[in-house]
Amino acid sequence: MSLQGWYPLVLARDIAPGTSAGTRVEGKEIVAWRDDKGAAHVWEDRCPHRGMKMSFGFVRGDHIACLYHGWQYDTAGQCRYIPAHPDLDVPKTIKVPTFGVAEAGGMVWGNFDAEGEDAAPHPDLPGDITPLRTVFADCPAALLVERVPFTPLDGIAPEVKATEGRIIEIRLGDVTLIAGIQPVAEREAALHIVAAGNPSNDQMKRLAFWAEQLRRDAEEAAANEKIGEIAA
Amino acid sequence: MSALTLYNYDLDENCYKVRLLLSCLGVEADQVAVDVMPGKENLSPAILAMSPFGALPVVRHDDLVLYEAEAILAWLAETRDPKGGFLPKDPDAFGRVMMWLAFSARELDAAVQARSTAMMDAPGDIDALRMAAREALRAMDDHMTRQHFDGFEYFAGAEPTIADIALFPSFALSRDYNVDHDAFPALRRWARAVRKIDGFITMPGIPEYH
C-alpha cells in the first residue's frame, strides 16, 4: 500500500531525548528517535549493514547506533562511524532512508511521500494538551475508531467528531480527547490519545482505564468479525 | 554472616533476578555454575535434592535451602537490605510488592516458557505462550502508564522494590520470544528507570548501552 500524507507514530512524551521507538505504518517498519537536543527523527528501521532494526540500538548525543556492530548515524541518516574500522572515512553511500517529521498535538508524525517533508503541511493541532496514552489493538484502524462511541465512561457514551486527516475528537463528559489514528498493519492499529488542557492526574488515570477498555472492546469486536467471516 | 551459595545458570532469567538483586544490595555470593543446556546438570541428584523439579536458581545458606526466585528475592531483601527499600514494611506497599511478585511467578511465567521454547527447544505451543506473555506485558504497561500519572517510576511506588527486579528480565528479553518493545511505551520508560538502580547489571541478551 502506498503511504500518503502525515501519520501519527508515537506520543511525543513517549520518546524522551536520547531514546527511540520502533513502529510500523501499513506494515512498513519505522524508527522514531529523539536526539539529546530534543529533535525527533523518523527513519526506516533498518541498519544498511546487516538489516538489524535501528530501534534495537541506542542513541548517543545526536547519533543513533546499531545494536549489532555499533555503526553510528548522524541526524541526516549518514553513517559516520564504524567501530571495526575506526579510521575509515565512511562512504556517503552508507545512509539510512529518512522521512519527513513533525511534532503537533503532543504526537510525532511521519510523512513517507516520495517528495519528503515539503509534500504537505503538518497537522495544525493545539499545543495545550496532556498526553494520555497510546492504545495498541489487534484490529483494523477503522474498527478501532468505530468502537470509540461504544465504550462508555461512567455510563456516558463518548461523542466522536471526525476532524481532518488522521485525527478524531472525542468528547468524554467534561474532557475532550484528541486521538491520532495509526494504521500499523492490516489488522493492527494504534490510537495516540491526548487530552485537551490539563485534567487532574486522577482524571487522567480514569481516562487511562477507559482507553484499556477500548482496547478490549475493539479486539473482541475484531475477533467476532473474524468468526463471522469464517462462518460466511 | 556465613557465605551464601547461588546455584546459577547464566542464561536463565530467574537466576538473573537473584544476581541482579545481589548486585544492587552489594552482597557477595559463591556461585556454582550449573550446566543446564546441554549438560542437564540441573536434573542431577544433587540439585534435585534441593529443588525437586530442577528449577534454578537455588540459594543455600547454612541449613537453609531455597528455590523459587521470588522467594529468594524476598528472603534476601528481608535479611540483607539494611535500608529496607526493596521490601517495604508499610502494609500497603508490602501488599503491592507481593502482588507483583505473584504476578511475576504466575502470569509472566508464560514469558519464561515462551523464551525457553523459542531459544532452548523446550516443548510448548509457542504462539499461545507468546500471546499469554504479551497479555501479561500489556497489564504491566497499563499499570505503569497509570503509575506515571502519580509520578511513580516503579511498580510499587516511587522507589524500586524486588517487584521491579522480578518483572524486569522478561520484558528486557522479550525479543528473544519475538515480542517487540514497540507497544509498551510505559515499560520502556520503566526499564530505563530500572537500569538506573545502583548496582544494576545485565545478562546475556540484555545489552549494556555503551
Side-chain angles (χ1 to χ4, degrees), chain A residues 10 13-14 16 19-23 53 55-56 58 60 67 131-133 136-138 201 204-205 208-209 212 215 219, chain B residues 131 134-135 138-139 141-143 145-147 149-151 175 180-186 188-189 192 207-210:
Chain A
V10 61
R13 173 197 68 191
D14 289 340
T19 71
S20 67
T23 187
K53 282 188 176 185
S55 55
F56 286 17
F58 43 92
R60 279 293 170 269
L67 182 66
L132 177 62
R133 64 165 296 160
F136 296 91
D138 287 350
N201 289 340
M204 293 306 288
K205 282 194 284 181
F209 277 118
E212 293 165 29
R215 178 183 68 217
E219 291 192 342
Chain B
M131 285 306 283
R134 190 187 71 159
E135 286 306 308
R138 277 179 161 183
D141 190 72
D142 291 345
H143 173 73
T145 300
R146 286 180 263 109
Q147 286 287 85
F149 286 118
D150 284 327
R175 285 152 180 161
D180 223 320
H181 288 179
D182 298 8
F184 308 108
R188 291 200 301 267
R189 173 169 157 185
R192 292 199 298 278
E208 307 254 13
Y209 291 152
H210 41 76

Short mmCIF file of all heavy atoms in Angstrom, two decimals, chain A residues 10 13-14 16 19-23 53 55-56 58 60 67 131-133 136-138 201 204-205 208-209 212 215 219, chain B residues 131 134-135 138-139 141-143 145-147 149-151 175 180-186 188-189 192 207-210:
data_model
loop_
_atom_site.label_atom_id
_atom_site.label_comp_id
_atom_site.label_asym_id
_atom_site.label_seq_id
_atom_site.Cartn_x
_atom_site.Cartn_y
_atom_site.Cartn_z
N VAL A 10 3.85 8.18 17.39
CA VAL A 10 4.16 7.96 18.81
C VAL A 10 3.80 9.24 19.56
O VAL A 10 3.85 10.33 18.98
CB VAL A 10 5.66 7.58 18.99
CG1 VAL A 10 6.58 8.70 18.51
CG2 VAL A 10 6.01 7.18 20.42
N ARG A 13 5.68 12.49 24.28
CA ARG A 13 6.15 12.14 25.63
C ARG A 13 6.90 10.80 25.66
O ARG A 13 7.81 10.61 26.47
CB ARG A 13 4.93 12.05 26.57
CG ARG A 13 5.25 11.54 27.96
CD ARG A 13 4.00 11.09 28.70
NE ARG A 13 3.40 9.89 28.11
CZ ARG A 13 2.20 9.42 28.42
NH1 ARG A 13 1.44 10.05 29.27
NH2 ARG A 13 1.74 8.32 27.83
N ASP A 14 6.47 9.89 24.79
CA ASP A 14 6.97 8.52 24.87
C ASP A 14 8.29 8.28 24.14
O ASP A 14 8.79 7.15 24.14
CB ASP A 14 5.89 7.53 24.40
CG ASP A 14 4.75 7.42 25.41
OD1 ASP A 14 4.97 7.77 26.58
OD2 ASP A 14 3.65 6.99 25.02
N ALA A 16 11.57 10.08 24.91
CA ALA A 16 12.37 11.06 25.66
C ALA A 16 13.65 11.32 24.87
O ALA A 16 14.05 10.49 24.05
CB ALA A 16 12.70 10.50 27.04
N THR A 19 16.24 8.53 23.27
CA THR A 19 15.61 7.21 23.17
C THR A 19 14.95 7.04 21.80
O THR A 19 14.78 8.00 21.05
CB THR A 19 14.54 6.98 24.26
OG1 THR A 19 13.39 7.79 23.99
CG2 THR A 19 15.08 7.31 25.64
N SER A 20 14.59 5.81 21.51
CA SER A 20 13.96 5.51 20.22
C SER A 20 12.78 4.58 20.44
O SER A 20 12.65 3.94 21.48
CB SER A 20 14.98 4.83 19.29
OG SER A 20 15.31 3.54 19.79
N ALA A 21 11.92 4.49 19.42
CA ALA A 21 10.79 3.56 19.45
C ALA A 21 10.58 3.03 18.05
O ALA A 21 10.53 3.80 17.09
CB ALA A 21 9.52 4.26 19.94
N GLY A 22 10.46 1.72 17.94
CA GLY A 22 10.12 1.11 16.66
C GLY A 22 8.62 1.13 16.48
O GLY A 22 7.87 1.09 17.45
N THR A 23 8.17 1.23 15.24
CA THR A 23 6.74 1.13 14.97
C THR A 23 6.56 0.71 13.51
O THR A 23 7.54 0.45 12.81
CB THR A 23 6.01 2.46 15.27
OG1 THR A 23 4.60 2.26 15.14
CG2 THR A 23 6.45 3.58 14.35
N LYS A 53 17.31 -3.96 13.18
CA LYS A 53 16.44 -2.81 13.45
C LYS A 53 17.21 -1.74 14.22
O LYS A 53 17.80 -2.04 15.27
CB LYS A 53 15.23 -3.24 14.27
CG LYS A 53 14.17 -3.95 13.46
CD LYS A 53 12.94 -4.16 14.33
CE LYS A 53 11.82 -4.76 13.52
NZ LYS A 53 10.58 -4.85 14.33
N SER A 55 15.83 0.49 15.91
CA SER A 55 15.12 0.71 17.19
C SER A 55 15.63 -0.23 18.29
O SER A 55 15.32 -0.02 19.45
CB SER A 55 13.61 0.53 17.01
OG SER A 55 13.31 -0.74 16.46
N PHE A 56 16.41 -1.26 17.95
CA PHE A 56 17.04 -2.09 18.97
C PHE A 56 18.31 -1.42 19.50
O PHE A 56 18.86 -1.86 20.50
CB PHE A 56 17.45 -3.46 18.39
CG PHE A 56 16.30 -4.41 18.14
CD1 PHE A 56 15.00 -3.96 18.08
CD2 PHE A 56 16.53 -5.76 17.96
CE1 PHE A 56 13.94 -4.83 17.83
CE2 PHE A 56 15.48 -6.65 17.72
CZ PHE A 56 14.19 -6.19 17.66
N PHE A 58 20.85 2.20 20.25
CA PHE A 58 20.79 3.23 21.29
C PHE A 58 21.27 4.56 20.75
O PHE A 58 22.03 4.63 19.79
CB PHE A 58 21.59 2.81 22.53
CG PHE A 58 22.91 2.18 22.22
CD1 PHE A 58 24.05 2.95 22.15
CD2 PHE A 58 23.00 0.81 21.98
CE1 PHE A 58 25.27 2.37 21.86
CE2 PHE A 58 24.23 0.22 21.69
CZ PHE A 58 25.36 1.02 21.62
N ARG A 60 23.20 8.08 21.23
CA ARG A 60 24.27 8.75 21.97
C ARG A 60 24.44 10.12 21.34
O ARG A 60 24.84 10.22 20.17
CB ARG A 60 25.59 7.97 21.87
CG ARG A 60 25.66 6.81 22.84
CD ARG A 60 25.73 7.30 24.29
NE ARG A 60 25.58 6.21 25.23
CZ ARG A 60 24.41 5.80 25.74
NH1 ARG A 60 23.29 6.42 25.40
NH2 ARG A 60 24.35 4.81 26.58
N LEU A 67 22.64 -1.74 17.37
CA LEU A 67 22.99 -2.64 18.46
C LEU A 67 23.99 -3.71 18.01
O LEU A 67 24.81 -4.19 18.79
CB LEU A 67 21.72 -3.33 18.96
CG LEU A 67 21.87 -4.29 20.15
CD1 LEU A 67 22.29 -3.54 21.40
CD2 LEU A 67 20.58 -5.03 20.39
N PRO A 131 -0.66 14.49 27.48
CA PRO A 131 -0.67 13.17 26.85
C PRO A 131 -1.34 12.12 27.73
O PRO A 131 -1.10 12.09 28.94
CB PRO A 131 0.83 12.85 26.65
CG PRO A 131 1.55 13.77 27.57
CD PRO A 131 0.69 14.97 27.78
N LEU A 132 -2.22 11.30 27.14
CA LEU A 132 -2.87 10.22 27.90
C LEU A 132 -2.10 8.93 27.68
O LEU A 132 -1.28 8.55 28.50
CB LEU A 132 -4.34 10.06 27.47
CG LEU A 132 -5.09 8.91 28.14
CD1 LEU A 132 -5.18 9.08 29.65
CD2 LEU A 132 -6.49 8.74 27.55
N ARG A 133 -2.32 8.27 26.56
CA ARG A 133 -1.58 7.05 26.25
C ARG A 133 -1.88 6.64 24.82
O ARG A 133 -2.82 7.14 24.22
CB ARG A 133 -1.92 5.90 27.19
CG ARG A 133 -3.37 5.42 27.10
CD ARG A 133 -3.54 4.06 27.79
NE ARG A 133 -2.75 3.04 27.10
CZ ARG A 133 -2.38 1.87 27.65
NH1 ARG A 133 -2.71 1.58 28.87
NH2 ARG A 133 -1.69 1.00 26.94
N PHE A 136 -2.81 0.26 21.64
CA PHE A 136 -2.43 -0.64 20.56
C PHE A 136 -3.43 -1.79 20.54
O PHE A 136 -3.64 -2.42 21.59
CB PHE A 136 -1.03 -1.22 20.79
CG PHE A 136 0.07 -0.19 20.79
CD1 PHE A 136 0.46 0.43 21.96
CD2 PHE A 136 0.71 0.16 19.61
CE1 PHE A 136 1.48 1.38 21.97
CE2 PHE A 136 1.73 1.10 19.60
CZ PHE A 136 2.11 1.72 20.79
N ALA A 137 -4.05 -2.05 19.41
CA ALA A 137 -5.05 -3.11 19.37
C ALA A 137 -4.89 -3.96 18.12
O ALA A 137 -4.51 -3.45 17.06
CB ALA A 137 -6.46 -2.51 19.42
N ASP A 138 -5.19 -5.25 18.27
CA ASP A 138 -5.16 -6.17 17.12
C ASP A 138 -6.48 -6.05 16.36
O ASP A 138 -7.37 -6.90 16.50
CB ASP A 138 -4.99 -7.62 17.61
CG ASP A 138 -3.59 -7.89 18.11
OD1 ASP A 138 -2.72 -7.03 17.91
OD2 ASP A 138 -3.38 -8.97 18.70
N ASN A 201 -4.48 14.52 37.58
CA ASN A 201 -3.89 13.19 37.45
C ASN A 201 -4.93 12.09 37.68
O ASN A 201 -4.90 11.05 37.04
CB ASN A 201 -2.73 13.03 38.42
CG ASN A 201 -1.53 13.86 38.00
OD1 ASN A 201 -1.43 14.25 36.83
ND2 ASN A 201 -0.65 14.14 38.93
N MET A 204 -6.85 11.74 34.59
CA MET A 204 -6.03 11.07 33.56
C MET A 204 -6.02 9.55 33.80
O MET A 204 -6.08 8.77 32.86
CB MET A 204 -4.61 11.61 33.55
CG MET A 204 -4.49 13.07 33.11
SD MET A 204 -5.24 13.45 31.49
CE MET A 204 -4.09 12.64 30.38
N LYS A 205 -5.97 9.16 35.08
CA LYS A 205 -5.96 7.71 35.37
C LYS A 205 -7.30 7.07 34.99
O LYS A 205 -7.33 5.96 34.47
CB LYS A 205 -5.62 7.47 36.84
CG LYS A 205 -4.13 7.61 37.13
CD LYS A 205 -3.75 7.04 38.49
CE LYS A 205 -4.20 8.00 39.58
NZ LYS A 205 -3.83 7.52 40.92
N ALA A 208 -7.27 6.65 31.41
CA ALA A 208 -6.38 5.55 31.03
C ALA A 208 -7.12 4.22 31.15
O ALA A 208 -7.00 3.35 30.27
CB ALA A 208 -5.12 5.56 31.89
N PHE A 209 -7.91 4.06 32.22
CA PHE A 209 -8.73 2.84 32.35
C PHE A 209 -9.71 2.73 31.17
O PHE A 209 -9.94 1.65 30.63
CB PHE A 209 -9.52 2.84 33.67
CG PHE A 209 -8.73 2.37 34.86
CD1 PHE A 209 -8.49 3.22 35.94
CD2 PHE A 209 -8.23 1.07 34.92
CE1 PHE A 209 -7.77 2.79 37.05
CE2 PHE A 209 -7.51 0.62 36.04
CZ PHE A 209 -7.28 1.49 37.09
N GLU A 212 -7.95 1.45 28.17
CA GLU A 212 -7.72 0.00 28.26
C GLU A 212 -8.98 -0.76 27.86
O GLU A 212 -8.92 -1.78 27.16
CB GLU A 212 -7.32 -0.39 29.70
CG GLU A 212 -5.96 0.15 30.13
CD GLU A 212 -5.75 0.06 31.64
OE1 GLU A 212 -6.32 -0.85 32.28
OE2 GLU A 212 -5.02 0.92 32.19
N ARG A 215 -9.50 -0.89 24.14
CA ARG A 215 -8.69 -1.94 23.50
C ARG A 215 -9.40 -3.30 23.59
O ARG A 215 -9.49 -4.03 22.61
CB ARG A 215 -7.31 -2.02 24.18
CG ARG A 215 -6.42 -3.12 23.60
CD ARG A 215 -5.10 -3.21 24.36
NE ARG A 215 -5.28 -3.69 25.71
CZ ARG A 215 -4.58 -3.25 26.77
NH1 ARG A 215 -3.66 -2.33 26.64
NH2 ARG A 215 -4.82 -3.75 27.97
N GLU A 219 -10.82 -5.35 20.32
CA GLU A 219 -10.27 -6.67 19.97
C GLU A 219 -11.35 -7.73 20.01
O GLU A 219 -11.33 -8.68 19.21
CB GLU A 219 -9.09 -7.02 20.90
CG GLU A 219 -7.90 -6.12 20.61
CD GLU A 219 -6.60 -6.56 21.27
OE1 GLU A 219 -6.66 -7.37 22.22
OE2 GLU A 219 -5.54 -6.09 20.81
N MET B 131 1.29 -15.12 23.05
CA MET B 131 0.10 -14.29 23.28
C MET B 131 -0.13 -14.09 24.78
O MET B 131 -0.47 -12.99 25.21
CB MET B 131 -1.14 -14.95 22.65
CG MET B 131 -1.20 -14.82 21.13
SD MET B 131 -1.06 -13.11 20.55
CE MET B 131 -2.72 -12.52 20.89
N ARG B 134 2.36 -11.65 26.02
CA ARG B 134 2.02 -10.29 25.62
C ARG B 134 0.90 -9.73 26.49
O ARG B 134 0.92 -8.55 26.86
CB ARG B 134 1.60 -10.23 24.14
CG ARG B 134 1.49 -8.80 23.67
CD ARG B 134 0.93 -8.68 22.27
NE ARG B 134 -0.48 -9.02 22.21
CZ ARG B 134 -1.30 -8.62 21.24
NH1 ARG B 134 -0.82 -7.91 20.23
NH2 ARG B 134 -2.56 -8.96 21.23
N GLU B 135 -0.09 -10.55 26.83
CA GLU B 135 -1.17 -10.08 27.70
C GLU B 135 -0.61 -9.65 29.06
O GLU B 135 -1.05 -8.65 29.63
CB GLU B 135 -2.24 -11.16 27.88
CG GLU B 135 -3.13 -11.34 26.66
CD GLU B 135 -3.77 -10.04 26.19
OE1 GLU B 135 -4.40 -9.34 27.01
OE2 GLU B 135 -3.61 -9.72 25.00
N ARG B 138 1.11 -6.39 28.62
CA ARG B 138 0.11 -5.32 28.48
C ARG B 138 -0.39 -4.88 29.85
O ARG B 138 -0.54 -3.67 30.10
CB ARG B 138 -1.07 -5.82 27.66
CG ARG B 138 -0.87 -5.74 26.17
CD ARG B 138 -2.10 -6.30 25.50
NE ARG B 138 -2.21 -5.87 24.10
CZ ARG B 138 -3.24 -6.18 23.32
NH1 ARG B 138 -4.23 -6.91 23.80
NH2 ARG B 138 -3.28 -5.76 22.08
N ALA B 139 -0.70 -5.84 30.72
CA ALA B 139 -1.19 -5.50 32.07
C ALA B 139 -0.12 -4.68 32.81
O ALA B 139 -0.44 -3.73 33.55
CB ALA B 139 -1.54 -6.76 32.84
N ASP B 141 2.18 -2.76 31.32
CA ASP B 141 2.27 -1.44 30.67
C ASP B 141 1.10 -0.55 31.10
O ASP B 141 1.28 0.63 31.38
CB ASP B 141 2.29 -1.61 29.14
CG ASP B 141 2.61 -0.31 28.42
OD1 ASP B 141 3.78 0.11 28.48
OD2 ASP B 141 1.69 0.30 27.84
N ASP B 142 -0.10 -1.16 31.20
CA ASP B 142 -1.27 -0.41 31.67
C ASP B 142 -1.01 0.14 33.08
O ASP B 142 -1.30 1.30 33.38
CB ASP B 142 -2.52 -1.30 31.71
CG ASP B 142 -3.00 -1.69 30.31
OD1 ASP B 142 -2.57 -1.07 29.32
OD2 ASP B 142 -3.83 -2.63 30.22
N HIS B 143 -0.49 -0.72 33.94
CA HIS B 143 -0.21 -0.32 35.33
C HIS B 143 0.81 0.82 35.37
O HIS B 143 0.61 1.83 36.05
CB HIS B 143 0.30 -1.51 36.13
CG HIS B 143 0.75 -1.16 37.51
ND1 HIS B 143 -0.12 -0.82 38.52
CD2 HIS B 143 2.00 -1.07 38.05
CE1 HIS B 143 0.56 -0.54 39.62
NE2 HIS B 143 1.85 -0.68 39.37
N THR B 145 1.60 2.91 33.02
CA THR B 145 1.03 4.13 32.44
C THR B 145 0.33 4.93 33.54
O THR B 145 0.50 6.14 33.67
CB THR B 145 0.01 3.78 31.33
OG1 THR B 145 0.69 3.06 30.31
CG2 THR B 145 -0.61 5.04 30.74
N ARG B 146 -0.45 4.22 34.38
CA ARG B 146 -1.18 4.91 35.45
C ARG B 146 -0.24 5.34 36.57
O ARG B 146 -0.41 6.42 37.14
CB ARG B 146 -2.31 4.00 35.96
CG ARG B 146 -3.46 3.93 34.97
CD ARG B 146 -4.60 3.03 35.44
NE ARG B 146 -4.51 1.69 34.87
CZ ARG B 146 -4.19 0.60 35.56
NH1 ARG B 146 -3.91 0.67 36.85
NH2 ARG B 146 -4.15 -0.57 34.96
N GLN B 147 0.77 4.51 36.88
CA GLN B 147 1.76 4.91 37.89
C GLN B 147 2.42 6.24 37.51
O GLN B 147 2.66 7.10 38.36
CB GLN B 147 2.87 3.86 38.01
CG GLN B 147 2.49 2.59 38.73
CD GLN B 147 2.35 2.79 40.22
OE1 GLN B 147 1.28 3.19 40.70
NE2 GLN B 147 3.39 2.51 40.97
N PHE B 149 1.24 8.74 35.94
CA PHE B 149 0.42 9.91 36.26
C PHE B 149 0.55 10.32 37.73
O PHE B 149 0.33 11.46 38.09
CB PHE B 149 -1.05 9.67 35.90
CG PHE B 149 -1.29 9.70 34.42
CD1 PHE B 149 -1.76 8.59 33.74
CD2 PHE B 149 -1.03 10.86 33.69
CE1 PHE B 149 -1.96 8.62 32.37
CE2 PHE B 149 -1.22 10.90 32.32
CZ PHE B 149 -1.69 9.77 31.65
N ASP B 150 0.90 9.36 38.59
CA ASP B 150 1.14 9.67 40.00
C ASP B 150 2.59 10.06 40.27
O ASP B 150 2.98 10.28 41.41
CB ASP B 150 0.78 8.45 40.87
CG ASP B 150 -0.73 8.29 41.04
OD1 ASP B 150 -1.43 9.33 41.06
OD2 ASP B 150 -1.20 7.14 41.13
N GLY B 151 3.39 10.08 39.20
CA GLY B 151 4.79 10.44 39.37
C GLY B 151 5.64 9.30 39.90
O GLY B 151 6.76 9.52 40.37
N ARG B 175 12.36 -9.77 23.13
CA ARG B 175 12.66 -10.02 21.72
C ARG B 175 13.14 -11.46 21.50
O ARG B 175 13.05 -11.98 20.40
CB ARG B 175 13.69 -9.03 21.21
CG ARG B 175 13.08 -7.65 20.99
CD ARG B 175 14.08 -6.56 21.17
NE ARG B 175 13.48 -5.24 20.95
CZ ARG B 175 14.04 -4.12 21.39
NH1 ARG B 175 15.19 -4.15 22.06
NH2 ARG B 175 13.46 -2.97 21.17
N ASP B 180 8.03 -7.53 20.51
CA ASP B 180 8.84 -6.32 20.45
C ASP B 180 8.47 -5.34 21.55
O ASP B 180 7.45 -5.49 22.20
CB ASP B 180 8.63 -5.68 19.07
CG ASP B 180 9.95 -5.20 18.51
OD1 ASP B 180 10.77 -4.66 19.29
OD2 ASP B 180 10.17 -5.37 17.31
N HIS B 181 9.31 -4.34 21.75
CA HIS B 181 9.02 -3.32 22.77
C HIS B 181 8.12 -2.20 22.26
O HIS B 181 7.71 -1.33 23.02
CB HIS B 181 10.33 -2.71 23.28
CG HIS B 181 11.13 -3.64 24.15
ND1 HIS B 181 12.34 -3.30 24.71
CD2 HIS B 181 10.87 -4.89 24.59
CE1 HIS B 181 12.80 -4.31 25.43
NE2 HIS B 181 11.93 -5.28 25.36
N ASP B 182 7.80 -2.25 20.97
CA ASP B 182 7.08 -1.14 20.32
C ASP B 182 5.82 -0.73 21.08
O ASP B 182 5.54 0.45 21.24
CB ASP B 182 6.65 -1.53 18.89
CG ASP B 182 7.83 -1.82 17.98
OD1 ASP B 182 8.97 -1.89 18.48
OD2 ASP B 182 7.60 -1.97 16.77
N ALA B 183 5.01 -1.72 21.50
CA ALA B 183 3.67 -1.42 22.03
C ALA B 183 3.66 -1.22 23.55
O ALA B 183 2.59 -1.23 24.15
CB ALA B 183 2.70 -2.54 21.62
N PHE B 184 4.84 -1.03 24.15
CA PHE B 184 4.90 -0.88 25.61
C PHE B 184 5.69 0.36 26.02
O PHE B 184 6.74 0.25 26.68
CB PHE B 184 5.53 -2.14 26.23
CG PHE B 184 4.88 -3.42 25.79
CD1 PHE B 184 5.53 -4.28 24.91
CD2 PHE B 184 3.60 -3.75 26.23
CE1 PHE B 184 4.92 -5.45 24.49
CE2 PHE B 184 2.98 -4.92 25.80
CZ PHE B 184 3.65 -5.77 24.94
N PRO B 185 5.19 1.55 25.66
CA PRO B 185 5.97 2.76 25.96
C PRO B 185 6.22 2.97 27.45
O PRO B 185 7.30 3.44 27.83
CB PRO B 185 5.13 3.89 25.36
CG PRO B 185 3.81 3.32 25.02
CD PRO B 185 3.97 1.83 24.89
N ALA B 186 5.24 2.63 28.29
CA ALA B 186 5.44 2.86 29.74
C ALA B 186 6.47 1.88 30.29
O ALA B 186 7.19 2.21 31.24
CB ALA B 186 4.11 2.72 30.48
N ARG B 188 9.03 0.76 28.47
CA ARG B 188 10.34 1.26 28.01
C ARG B 188 10.87 2.29 29.00
O ARG B 188 12.05 2.28 29.36
CB ARG B 188 10.21 1.89 26.61
CG ARG B 188 9.92 0.90 25.49
CD ARG B 188 10.30 1.48 24.12
NE ARG B 188 9.60 2.72 23.79
CZ ARG B 188 8.47 2.78 23.09
NH1 ARG B 188 7.90 1.68 22.64
NH2 ARG B 188 7.90 3.93 22.82
N ARG B 189 9.98 3.19 29.43
CA ARG B 189 10.39 4.22 30.39
C ARG B 189 10.79 3.58 31.73
O ARG B 189 11.80 3.96 32.34
CB ARG B 189 9.23 5.21 30.58
CG ARG B 189 9.45 6.24 31.67
CD ARG B 189 8.39 7.31 31.57
NE ARG B 189 8.20 8.00 32.84
CZ ARG B 189 7.25 8.92 33.05
NH1 ARG B 189 6.43 9.26 32.08
NH2 ARG B 189 7.13 9.50 34.22
N ARG B 192 14.19 1.95 31.64
CA ARG B 192 15.28 2.92 31.81
C ARG B 192 15.47 3.26 33.28
O ARG B 192 16.60 3.45 33.75
CB ARG B 192 15.00 4.19 30.99
CG ARG B 192 15.05 3.98 29.49
CD ARG B 192 15.23 5.30 28.74
NE ARG B 192 14.14 6.24 28.94
CZ ARG B 192 12.99 6.21 28.27
NH1 ARG B 192 12.77 5.29 27.35
NH2 ARG B 192 12.05 7.11 28.50
N PRO B 207 21.33 -5.90 26.42
CA PRO B 207 22.54 -5.14 26.10
C PRO B 207 22.89 -4.09 27.16
O PRO B 207 22.01 -3.51 27.79
CB PRO B 207 22.19 -4.46 24.78
CG PRO B 207 20.71 -4.43 24.73
CD PRO B 207 20.21 -5.60 25.52
N GLU B 208 24.19 -3.91 27.35
CA GLU B 208 24.67 -2.71 28.03
C GLU B 208 24.54 -1.60 26.99
O GLU B 208 24.83 -1.81 25.83
CB GLU B 208 26.18 -2.83 28.33
CG GLU B 208 26.58 -4.06 29.06
CD GLU B 208 26.93 -3.76 30.50
OE1 GLU B 208 26.61 -2.64 30.96
OE2 GLU B 208 27.50 -4.64 31.15
N TYR B 209 24.12 -0.44 27.39
CA TYR B 209 24.14 0.67 26.44
C TYR B 209 25.44 1.41 26.64
O TYR B 209 25.69 1.97 27.69
CB TYR B 209 22.94 1.59 26.67
CG TYR B 209 21.64 0.94 26.27
CD1 TYR B 209 20.45 1.30 26.89
CD2 TYR B 209 21.60 -0.03 25.28
CE1 TYR B 209 19.25 0.70 26.53
CE2 TYR B 209 20.40 -0.63 24.91
CZ TYR B 209 19.23 -0.26 25.55
OH TYR B 209 18.04 -0.84 25.19
N HIS B 210 26.31 1.34 25.63
CA HIS B 210 27.61 1.97 25.79
C HIS B 210 27.81 2.97 24.66
O HIS B 210 27.03 3.04 23.73
CB HIS B 210 28.72 0.92 25.79
CG HIS B 210 28.50 -0.16 24.78
ND1 HIS B 210 28.74 0.03 23.44
CD2 HIS B 210 28.00 -1.42 24.90
CE1 HIS B 210 28.43 -1.10 22.78
NE2 HIS B 210 27.97 -1.98 23.64
#
